[in-house]
Amino acid sequence: MRLGIKLMLVVAAALVAAAPAHAQRQSLADRVGSLEQQMYNNSANQDLLNQINQLRQQVTSLQASIEQLQHDNAQLKQTAQDQYLDLDSRLNRLEGGSAAPALPAVPESAPKAPAAPAKPAAAATSERPPSVHGDPGSLAVTGDERTSYNVAFDALKAGKYDDSAQLFLSFLELYPNGVYAPNALYWLGESYYATRNFPMAESQFRELLSRYPTHDKAAGGLLKVGLSQYGEGKVDQAQQTLETVVAQYPGSDAARTAQDRLQSIRLGNQIR
């Protein structure tokens, strides 16, 4: 009996002694797990930091690319503007010739008008003589019509566009079917175009084309219809009109100018 009791005490003591060791093993495992978790967290944090650094480098690279693109875009816009101004200058140079217009010959069957008084050299214009194909018998002109026309045209040459518009309007009221009426319509449109009154300019050029489709100003009138449409912001219509100029008057100054302006418009569309 005593031996059994002693054996039970020994077993109990062994169990008591073993309990702290097991508890210690559990505590050590927890600590190892905690350290492993910390190491994992540190590794994840390091990965995150690496990703952040990579993103920063990418942002810096993108900013540099954006600045370069902005610089390139500004240069393209400046180039387009320079080309536009160059084309405008070339277009303006096309508007006049170098010889002063002569009075149309009066047909033999028509009564001769009295000779116009001599005019000073300053009154001579720089445009070509008007010509309407198809009815030469209607080209008789009086000195009074020519004088009125010269006054309006001189104002245009002097850059007094508001004055020239009023003078050409007055001329057309006095001589609605005169020999210089087609030219007056064209230069009236130019007077409006020069002051950026594009709707009024387009209206005058269209009237010229409607009344005198075979006049030597018709090609330039159609060209200016397209340019006026572009000035009004009607880009698609302007392109169609300019393409019509190229197709309808191939090889002419108006067609070459229309082609140049089409290229300028397309370039402008690409850089927007």
Side-chain angles (χ1 to χ4, degrees), residues 11 14 25 41 70 92 117 128 154 171 174 191 211 268 271:
V11 172
R25 285 196 297 270
N41 290 340
Q70 289 174 338
N92 290 333
R128 294 178 299 171
D154 286 344
F171 174 87
L174 290 171
S191 298
R211 292 177 57 185
I271 66 177

Side-chain angles (χ1 to χ4, degrees), residues 40 56 115 126 138 168 190 206 243:
Y40 173 79
R56 285 175 177 170
S126 62
S138 67
F168 280 122
E190 282 285 4
R206 285 191 180 280
E243 289 169 355

Side-chain angles (χ1 to χ4, degrees), residues 104-110 130-142 145 175-182 211-212 214-215:
V106 179
E108 293 296 332
S109 59
S131 62
V132 180
H133 310 292
D135 189 9
S138 67
L139 297 183
V141 63
T142 67
E145 178 184 345
Y175 306 99
N177 299 309
V179 64
Y180 288 102
R211 292 177 57 185
Y212 306 98
T214 59
H215 191 270

